[in-house]
Amino acid sequence: MPEEMNPYQIALRQLDHVAGILKLDDGIHAILQKPKRELTVNFPVQIEGSGTQMFTGYRVQHNTSRGPAKGGLRFHPETNLDEVRALAMWMTWKCAIVNIPFGGAKGGVVCDPKSLTLAELEDLTRRYTTEISIIIGPSSDIPAPDVGTNGQIMAWLMDTYSMHAGHTVPAVVTGKPVSIGGSEGRIDATGLGVVLVTEEAFKKRNWAMDGATIAIQGFGNVGGAAARIFHKRGAKVIAVSDVSGGITDSRGLDIPALVLHVKQTGSVVDFPSTEPVSNEEILALECDVLVPAALQGQITGANAGQVRARMVVEGANGPTTPDADAILGSRGILLIPDVLANAGGVTVSYFEWVQDIQSFFWSESQVNSRLARILRRAFAEVWAASETHRVDLRTAAYLVGVARVAEATLTRGIYP
Ligand code: GLU
């Protein structure tokens, strides 16, 4: 399979593979290959020193057979329509795998949020929200944070949508601050989910979390929380990295001290008494669990042979290419796929949406125990599918997810 495939081509290839195993009806297969709705918007923002600048954004809804479209919003200089299409399709499978009543969507704005002032970031978010307001809404499409976005950006999105509606609409977006209808536990949910599914895999292998060695690529929304929670549960986080570089210490990093260092300096780099390690080298460190929690396309046909982890748990979306999947599989490295491993985020987004609609809020322990119940059940179903069909966990997860979406599509029937 050629490595130069873009994420959407990879997503289609993965779908075609499981469609074959499921003997999916050709018509249903054709429906699932295409995003239901795609919106591209070009809009101006006033930028200090350079006047009016045009930006391009996207919102893609892949499928809504099982409920409103759901998925994050990405601010990144290299995002593009095919990447957003792939991420939207992956959201459809992810929501179906954890069996929450949503379809899949994704949004993106081509920009470098770090180069914008706070006021420009707010203007960009509010204008993008206005442009896509014709397709988003609490019962149609609900955005959330993703790469380059955060709770504050979700707050601006909620406020803008509400200003147009003339009343407050908290359920239009998830991942908001708790003060305006966000959920307890949402910030850490994706990282906690990564740890929960790792624990389930450890049980299958009879491994202990205590002293297990973990390397994490990425120290943002997902990697940072996963590092803290792994550390709290007795694992040894031996390496982490961010866009500026990485650090390693085979004795295990002091994660609470590292979090303070990142707060002060903006990066994990130069954390005292550690060795520097590059983002590429971190993938080749010897460890029990490697968590790619940055961007897609990190473990490829070119470097999968160097991976020395015993297990890979995908915190990011799409970090492993199909060539790399095959190499890791042939080397006996267990891989827990993104659509299961990072589904904790959207699961607590679902809880947030439910709480907003009911205006009735849960405690953090209620959120976390419901999250654990959903992820453990999803893990067990995916594991069982992998045994029944003798396939890897990614294929098994897709089998579970695609079958549920196909069934919903068939049951609803084709309109008109
Ligand atoms: N961006 C996250 C993901 O890729 C969360 C999406 C959501 O909560 O809707 O799963």
Side-chain angles (χ1 to χ4, degrees):
M1 195 179 307
E3 272 293 309
E4 60 273 12
M5 286 195 309
N6 74 31
Y8 184 49
Q9 291 164 326
I10 291 175
L12 282 174
R13 180 72 187 234
Q14 291 164 333
L15 168 64
D16 295 348
H17 178 51
V18 295
I21 300 175
L22 289 170
K23 299 193 174 46
L24 211 61
D25 170 85
D26 283 347
I28 299 288
H29 184 182
I31 293 172
L32 300 182
Q33 283 173 324
K34 295 275 186 207
K36 170 192 172 69
R37 195 175 275 144
E38 305 180 338
L39 179 61
T40 299
V41 293
N42 297 298
F43 58 92
V45 181
Q46 300 282 3
I47 301 294
E48 221 178 272
S50 57
T52 304
Q53 217 174 287
M54 288 302 286
F55 288 85
T56 299
Y58 310 100
R59 185 72 187 172
V60 173
Q61 299 169 353
H62 171 254
N63 188 284
T64 56
S65 295
R66 304 181 71 255
K70 185 83 190 82
L73 167 59
R74 170 171 292 204
F75 286 180
H76 194 273
E78 267 129 49
T79 196
N80 57 63
L81 189 52
D82 264 358
E83 177 183 283
V84 177
R85 285 174 172 147
L87 290 160
M89 187 188 281
W90 288 331
M91 286 309 302
T92 302
W93 314 143
K94 194 185 297 187
C95 293
I97 289 161
V98 289
N99 214 356
I100 57 177
F102 286 138
K106 206 76 172 196
V109 176
V110 187
C111 68
D112 177 6
K114 288 205 183 94
S115 74
L116 301 172
T117 66
L118 200 63
E120 290 162 354
L121 193 60
E122 177 172 351
D123 287 353
L124 179 140
T125 303
R126 288 187 183 278
R127 181 63 189 251
Y128 168 76
T129 303
T130 305
E131 297 293 340
I132 65 161
S133 63
I134 52 175
I135 62 167
I136 62 168
S139 49
S140 52
D141 180 357
I142 306 121
D146 195 78
V147 173
T149 60
N150 57 26
Q152 178 60 70
I153 290 171
M154 300 307 116
W156 291 326
L157 195 158
M158 183 276 240
D159 184 69
T160 306
Y161 188 88
S162 300
M163 289 298 115
H164 290 297
H167 56 94
T168 298
V169 190
V172 68
V173 66
T174 60
K176 302 176 292 295
V178 170
S179 59
I180 55 165
S183 177
E184 296 291 348
R186 177 62 186 87
I187 289 177
D188 281 356
T190 314
L192 175 57
V194 165
V195 177
L196 287 168
V197 299
T198 305
E199 277 174 351
E200 292 309 291
F202 273 28
K203 283 182 205 158
K204 297 283 181 195
R205 291 272 152 109
N206 264 325
W207 296 359
M209 187 57 77
D210 202 37
T213 52
I214 321 279
I216 305 177
Q217 186 198 46
F219 205 69
N221 296 344
V222 182
R228 277 189 285 107
I229 300 164
F230 271 122
H231 181 79
K232 241 196 235 157
R233 300 201 176 188
K236 259 194 335 192
V237 180
I238 58 151
V240 297
S241 65
D242 58 31
V243 280
S244 310
I247 51 164
T248 180
D249 181 352
S250 58
R251 294 162 304 173
L253 298 161
D254 179 348
I255 299 294
L258 175 62
V259 169
L260 277 180
H261 173 83
V262 172
K263 241 183 217 154
Q264 284 157 3
T265 68
S267 170
V268 300
V269 171
D270 290 334
F271 184 55
S273 4
T274 59
E275 299 286 317
V277 65
S278 71
N279 261 299
E280 182 72 21
E281 287 162 350
I282 205 164
L283 302 173
L285 290 179
E286 184 165 355
C287 57
D288 293 317
V289 184
L290 171 65
V291 183
L295 284 173
Q296 65 271 14
Q298 298 299 300
I299 308 178
T300 65
N303 64 12
Q306 276 109 59
V307 170
R308 284 188 294 155
R310 297 202 283 163
M311 192 181 285
V312 174
V313 182
E314 295 185 325
N317 289 311
T320 313
T321 65
D323 279 0
D325 260 346
I327 295 168
L328 296 179
S330 71
R331 295 182 55 219
I333 299 171
L334 183 72
L335 181 141
I336 308 183
D338 47 9
V339 283
L340 174 62
N342 70 30
V346 74
T347 302
V348 176
S349 276
Y350 165 56
F351 298 161
E352 180 174 333
W353 179 77
V354 168
Q355 292 170 79
D356 287 339
I357 287 171
Q358 301 189 339
S359 291
F360 182 66
F361 290 87
W362 314 348
S363 69
E364 187 175 350
S365 71
Q366 280 173 310
V367 167
N368 288 349
S369 67
R370 285 176 168 145
L371 170 64
R373 206 182 313 150
I374 286 183
L375 288 182
R376 287 188 187 125
R377 186 189 59 204
F379 184 93
E381 285 170 347
V382 169
W383 192 271
S386 88
E387 288 185 333
T388 308
H389 296 275
R390 297 178 182 282
V391 292
D392 59 38
L393 291 178
R394 188 186 312 281
T395 308
Y398 272 63
L399 286 171
V400 171
V402 172
R404 283 186 181 143
V405 179
E407 190 194 333
T409 308
L410 256 177
T411 308
R412 286 179 60 160
I414 307 301
Y415 175 84

